[in-house]
Every structure is written in C-alpha cells, then in structure tokens.
Amino acid sequence: MEEVITKRPREDEDNNGNDAAANGISSIIPGWFSEMSPMWPGEAHSLKIEEILYQGKSEYQDVMVFQSATYGKVLVLDGVIQVTQRDECAYQEMITHLPLCSIQNPKKVLVIGGGDGGVLREVSRYPSVEQINICEIDKMVVDVSKQFFPNLAVGFEDPRVNLHIGDGVAFLKNAPEGTYDAVIVDSSDPIGPAQELFEKPFFESVARALRPGGVVCTQAESIWLHMHIIEAIVSNCRQVFKGSVNYAWTTVPTYPSGVIGFMLCSTEGPQVDFQHPVHKIDESDDLNKSKGPLKFYNPEIHSAAFCLPSFAKRVIGSNTN
Amino acid sequence: MEEVITKRPREDEDNNGNDAAANGISSIIPGWFSEMSPMWPGEAHSLKIEEILYQGKSEYQDVMVFQSATYGKVLVLDGVIQVTQRDECAYQEMITHLPLCSIQNPKKVLVIGGGDGGVLREVSRYPSVEQINICEIDKMVVDVSKQFFPNLAVGFEDPRVNLHIGDGVAFLKNAPEGTYDAVIVDSSDPIGPAQELFEKPFFESVARALRPGGVVCTQAESIWLHMHIIEAIVSNCRQVFKGSVNYAWTTVPTYPSGVIGFMLCSTEGPQVDFQHPVHKIDESDDLNKSKGPLKFYNPEIHSAAFCLPSFAKRVIGSNTN
C-alpha cells in the first residue's frame, strides 16, 4: 500500500515540511512535539510540551527528553518517540514476558539495545535469572534514562545486570556459542543505528548465541505501516531459526499506527510453543510481588498477541509451533 | 489518570489552540488536518490533506471529507475522524461480526448510527438476515457517504435495508418489544449528538427491543483514554442486561490512542458465549465470497478481542459468560 523507505533521506529530500528529524522538535505546531518520518509519510502524532528537559547529540543520534502535558516524560531519539511514562508498560512488559514466559526458568538473558533500562526492570522480576547482559550502543541513552526515567533505569540496579556499551552486532558475534536462554532485541526503527539488527547476519549471530530451544524476541514494526519490512524479517527468521517462528503484536498508543510487533523465534532443540506460555503469571505470582504488579501483561493477553488480522495473516502466513 | 470531559466546552474554554472543533480543519499546520479534542487533551493525530472534497454543516454537526496523502478519503464529523479508507475495515468488521458471529442465524438486525453504510455492508454478508433496519440521525452523513465512499455506501443497496432518518433513541423506544436478534450501535463520541447513546435509558430501550438471548454491540471508547466512561458504561450494562456483559477492543490506527472498544451484551434467554463465536468464518465461508474476503476479522481475532490488559481488567472486571 505504501512505499517503504529503509534509508534516511537527505535533508533536501525530506518533504515533511518540518525539521523534526534534525532536532526532534516540531517547528509547525508551536509548543508541541510532532513525530514525522519517512517511515510513516502523510501522518504525524503530536504531544503538547510542558517543558523540554534535555537535548543532546550523541555519537549516534539526537537525544531529547520533554515533559508532556498528558503522557508524562517522553524520550525521543532522532525525532521518534521511544518511551512515554504513560504507555511504556505495554511495550516493556510484552517484549520481555512474551519470550521469558514461553520457557521454563530462564537463567541467562541478553538484551540488545534497551538502554533506557525498562526491559531490564522486567527481566529482573524472574528469580530464576542468574545473569542479565545488556549491550547498548549509545551511553547517552543510559545516562539520560538514569537522570529522567528512574522507573525505567531502576532495571540497571539489579546486581545480576552487566552493562556493555558497544555495538550489539559485534557483541553477539563474540558471544560464546549456545550461551543464552533468551535474547531480547529492544531496538529503534531500521533507518538509524539499529539498521543491522533487522538483517539476516544478525539473526544468525543470535541463533548461534542461543542454547538449543532458546528464544529470541525482537521489535518488529507495525502491521498497519510496514508489512514489507515484516515480510522480509519473517523470511529471514524462517531461514535462520529451526525451532518455531511467530509474529505477535500489541497496542502502544504513542507508536505510529498505535501498534508494535514482535518476532518470536526459537532454535532447534526442546520445542517452544510461544502461543501457550509455560509460565502463567497470575496476580499472586512472585513476579507481580517483587516490583509491583504488572500493568499490562497477563497470560490471556500473551496468547491473544499471536492472533493476526486476516490481511496480516495472508502475508505473514500462520504462526508455526 | 486523565480528567474525562463529557461535555463539549464552549469555544472560549477550548485551550487546544486551534479551531478544529469549529470547522474540522486545523489552522495551525497548513495543509494538514489535526484532530484535537477535549476528549484527548495534549495530543493530536494529523493527516496530510491532498484535497478537501466536501465541507458542510448539517443540523447536527460539521461534516467534512478530504483526500489524504496516505489514508485515502477521510470522513470527519465535528473535527473528529470517523472513517478512513485505509483502516475502516477493522472497525466495521469488528463491530458487526463480533455480535453476529456470536449467535446462530441472525434474522432481524437494527443499526443505530452507522450512516456511512459500512456496518450495513458487513451485516449484508449474512444470508440468514431477512431485515436490516438502520436509524441515522443525520441525512448529510448518508448523502456524503453515497457521494464519496461507494465502498461503504454499497451497504445501502441491499434490498433488505430500511433506512430511517431520525433519532435512534426515539426509534428504539417505539420499536416493538422482543423484535431484534442484534442491535449494533455505531455512534460517534459521547460529546455531540451521540451523547444519549451512552446512557442507561438508551440501554434499557435496547434490551426491550431485543429478543430473549439477543445481542447488542456498541462503540465503547478507548481503554487508554476513557476508562472512566467505560467503567460507567459497563456498570449501566451490568444493571440492564441479564445475559452476559463483555468488553472487547481492537486496533484502528486513526482513532485516538489507536484502539477502540465495544460493549457486547445479551438479554436473558438462550446463553451467549461471546468469546467463542458459534459461527466460525473461514476463507471458504459464504460470507467471504459474497462481498470479497474479509480484510480484518477472523475467529481468532474475535476471541482475542476479549483479552484485556491487566490495568483494564482490574477496572472492568472479568468478562462474564
């Protein structure tokens, strides 16, 4: 339906009529942040700014934090909303508990990206986990999160967490084979520093680093906007992962089109049935007690996330288990 | 979390800095339509306008149609997006097939609102249906749809359809008791002409007009934005409908927060298990053949729609069957 643009256009090619990509602040609605991108042409979601709290430029991207009128604090990278305090629960809980509730007693977990700490916060709910490695490319994201998003950055305080600042692709290439029970790829869109995280060589590194029957969950765009990207990711994953290959999705109001998807795959070995979690978290579960109750995730929403609209099912095909 | 405003503010109370509510076109992003409302303060979704096709003022509301850059034609009432050609399938198919696939062989169906004809298009897929009554308050909506949205207005061409222009509340009060197998309330938000459609006396009229074990499906706002409204609707429905009372939801990218909910209730009589459709539409079903294949709805997405995030479940309570 829409053209998919996978490379950032030069400034003079950007016909969105604003400089959002350059500095993250809309010049067209004074006092508002407008999210415009060639990834979703012809539409923009805007949030009213109460106060700009931080603006910086790292080696990799523009970093901004603002206090919004109705969504709490907002983290923006290269003009794209990554996190708002009001709806971050949906993304962080789903990208973490979809894979971790699908296997018994995860012990070693690797997070690629996720420098805000939100995924770490969710991984650290599991008493079975012994080691949480995280490889984030941009130290500024970690620092900014620690300063402005204590409820996300709390994830870094767990003594099981080892933070590596560096390239996730290189980190995985050097990871010992068959190490991890789960890898969670919490990346931004494939038009900035995260581009390689959507390509086949990266998935091969992930598969190599997982134990037999280990699982990966990776951010996989919107069925409403990016079916071509999703089709390519699914095709790559079907070639690389010899266990099962599934697409799931959930609602996040401040992401474009209001939804975000996840690829969930397992390597050859003990069978993983992603659609039916082996760990069924209920209100009395230890996971709900340790860090306060989960706001979004529960076993029913887990299974429901794998049910696709007909237009998506026809392209992606059936989830396999 | 946020204050819920249920009445339209006077012009001088509107602090959104635009006149969207007055004429439907944003004056602050030239060439774009921005949807701002006291129903979702502090945020706005904007679509790039290619061409404004229609602007009118009916007895009830401002009516606008524009050609957007990436969402096809868009119907706007009182500054709020009702339909875009790109994502209307999700709303029309879900609000229709959630109730109609939950009962055997629906014969008499009433649609309140729905003047664009999209719900009629979906109802007319059922060969069992003998009579489709529709009561829309605003003739301009019907006329505009027939002119600009032939794929929606096609619903009016079915000979089983009887169109009544008038007040849905009065129409239902005068409806013979125990008549309908299903009532579908396709309304706009509760701050304009649709306000009464969210109140208890209206639900009582619906219940009276339904046969024993008949079903109603009514537009019921967003769990991310309007939990207070939803709580009140659920409470009203629990008092009125003695069969089952359920909340379901789905994704619609151009609706605020990207989701929309539905109340699904049945009257005392034969039990209705909304979460498990009795009519399981598959690709070879007659319903898929008569009007082209369904784009969004399928039996898995039907059941998944009743699974709620934990924060919503804690307020709404369990769906009852």
Side-chain angles (χ1 to χ4, degrees), chain A residues 20 160 297:
Chain A
R160 295 168 293 179
Y297 177 92

Side-chain angles (χ1 to χ4, degrees), chain A residues 51-256:
Chain A
E51 188 186 354
I52 293 173
L53 300 170
Y54 182 87
Q55 275 186 281
K57 196 171 172 53
S58 76
E59 196 181 334
Y60 301 98
Q61 53 203 345
D62 295 304
V63 179
M64 182 172 75
V65 179
F66 68 89
Q67 181 72 45
S68 69
T70 52
Y71 278 79
K73 283 184 206 143
V74 181
L75 172 65
V76 178
L77 300 179
D78 274 352
V80 177
I81 294 172
Q82 304 295 313
V83 160
T84 86
Q85 287 182 314
R86 182 160 161 192
D87 65 2
E88 56 93 2
C89 61
Y91 179 77
Q92 319 282 4
E93 293 184 12
M94 291 298 273
I95 199 172
T96 305
H97 303 302
L98 286 177
L100 295 190
C101 284
S102 295
I103 55 175
Q104 298 281 6
N105 299 317
K107 289 190 176 64
K108 293 188 81 171
V109 178
L110 171 62
V111 179
I112 301 291
D116 56 57
V119 171
L120 298 177
R121 178 191 71 201
E122 295 306 315
V123 175
S124 69
R125 290 178 182 270
Y126 291 78
S128 67
V129 166
E130 295 164 1
Q131 190 181 4
I132 312 172
N133 291 340
I134 173 167
C135 186
E136 161 65 49
I137 200 166
D138 195 344
K139 185 169 182 297
M140 191 181 279
V141 174
V142 178
D143 294 341
V144 159
S145 185
K146 286 182 176 172
Q147 190 175 350
F148 297 104
F149 296 90
N151 286 340
L152 295 167
V154 65
F156 288 105
E157 290 170 17
D158 191 296
R160 295 168 293 179
V161 169
N162 308 297
L163 170 61
H164 304 259
I165 298 295
D167 176 18
V169 176
F171 187 89
L172 262 167
K173 265 193 199 139
N174 297 324
E177 209 175 314
T179 306
Y180 292 102
D181 298 284
V183 174
I184 298 170
V185 186
D186 175 15
S187 71
S188 49
D189 294 320
I191 54 162
Q195 189 173 333
E196 281 186 85
L197 305 184
F198 291 81
E199 293 168 1
K200 196 173 162 192
F202 175 72
F203 291 125
E204 288 168 341
S205 294
V206 170
R208 208 184 51 82
L210 285 170
R211 66 154 170 88
V215 294
V216 61
C217 180
T218 175
Q219 191 267 98
E221 301 300 331
S222 161
I223 52 170
W224 285 106
L225 296 172
H226 304 122
M227 204 49 111
H228 290 93
I229 297 176
I230 293 168
E231 210 178 348
I233 297 174
V234 170
S235 165
N236 283 338
C237 286
R238 287 234 169 87
Q239 291 170 53
V240 171
F241 294 99
K242 303 302 181 190
S244 64
V245 173
N246 296 261
Y247 189 85
W249 59 307
T250 196
T251 161
V252 182
T254 56
Y255 287 172

Side-chain angles (χ1 to χ4, degrees), chain B residues 66 87 97 106 172 182 247 255 259 288:
Chain B
F66 68 90
D87 65 3
H97 303 302
L172 262 167
Y247 189 85
Y255 286 172
V259 303
N288 267 319

